[in-house]
Amino acid sequence: MTITQQRQLAPRIYEMTLSGHLVQEMKKSGQFLHIRVPREDMLLRRPISINHIDREAGTCRIIYRTEGEGTKVFAQLQAGEQLDVLGPLGNGFDLSQIQAGDEVYIIGGGIGIPPLYELSRRILALGAVPIHFLGFASKEVMYYTEEFKALGECRFATDDGSFGVHGNVGNLLLTALAAEGYGDNPPAAVFACGNNGMLKTVDQLFSDHPNAQISLESRMACGIGACYACVCHIADDETGQKSVKVCDQGPIFPVGKVVI
Ligand SMILES: Cc1cc2nc3c(=O)[nH]c(=O)nc-3n(C[C@H](O)[C@H](O)[C@H](O)COP(=O)(O)OP(=O)(O)OC[C@H]3O[C@@H](n4cnc5c(N)ncnc54)[C@H](O)[C@@H]3O)c2cc1C
Ligand code: FES
């Protein structure tokens, strides 16, 4: 794919727009791209979620945070340069049960937020009502707040209290559910992506919910189900031997399915 734009959204957070035929294969939200770092000594691809798909324009966007060497190389790339991209990979969010008028919770933390943008756009397109619960480390590293607000109601939390509710997104959710009497008015669906602590909270809070889905992050190598680098244990397995591969059976699972 060709990089058509790269811009910095916040400290260490970048948005990259890519164009190429591969966009026509991108049909679901929650899938990811496995991107080769254009440096010969880096053999493993880096998994990055698809943030926005525009099939008409033939472009897609990713948002990433620089962590180690690979993502630092990505941040130095310029418009016009080419990237070797494998994808779209993974199962994607299942929206088959969503109906017009449904209230849908979209819960994201930090660098788990990017795939939720395309998800929220699709939920809105189905006539449902997305309500976003988004958590960041601080006001300084917030991004895409206006973009999410344009799609629906947003509630924010920051770990240091510099914007929105003080604390993590789990606290934000617990406060909102307690205040609004969750039992009387449950959302039709719940979708979440973020760190394992946040996903654990969602997994427990919505354990009985019929349509709650979480997107897991795990270290990957091949990205296509061949190497078993990304396995995760199944929750209701007494032997502790059964596992799923996050890359091709996930990254999205119903709550209660895997051990987080
Ligand atoms: C399905 C999926 C979707 C993701 N989506 C995004 C996204 O949209 N934006 C974003 O910023 N990050 C995302 N990540 C995390 C991202 O893949 C890692 O931050 C990135 O691979 C780090 O690479 P690095 O070379 O900078 O770091 P290094 O630590 O130098 O990486 C060394 C190796 O570890 C792997 N690795 C390191 N951290 C992770 C991690 N958290 N998950 C998986 N592999 C890791 C790398 O791929 C590489 O092979 C996603 C991860 C997964 C599994
Ligand atoms: S990364 Fe190879 S099987 Fe999942």
Side-chain angles (χ1 to χ4, degrees), residues 34 218-231 245-248:
H34 215 20
S218 123
R219 294 222 162 210
M220 291 184 183
C222 73
I224 52 169
C227 75
Y228 288 79
C230 63
V231 290
K245 288 174 281 180
V246 175
C247 67
D248 70 341

Side-chain angles (χ1 to χ4, degrees), residues 32 44-49 63-65 67-71 111 114 216-220 251:
F32 66 94
L44 292 178
R45 292 169 180 270
R46 270 47 176 173
I48 305 287
S49 304
I63 293 178
Y64 62 93
R65 182 170 66 202
E67 295 290 344
E69 282 304 303
T71 43
I111 207 61
L216 288 192
E217 217 182 79
S218 123
R219 294 222 162 210
M220 291 184 183

Side-chain angles (χ1 to χ4, degrees), residues 238-251:
E238 283 167 12
T239 66
Q241 304 287 314
K242 292 188 191 152
S243 58
V244 284
K245 288 174 281 180
V246 175
C247 67
D248 70 341
Q249 292 170 278

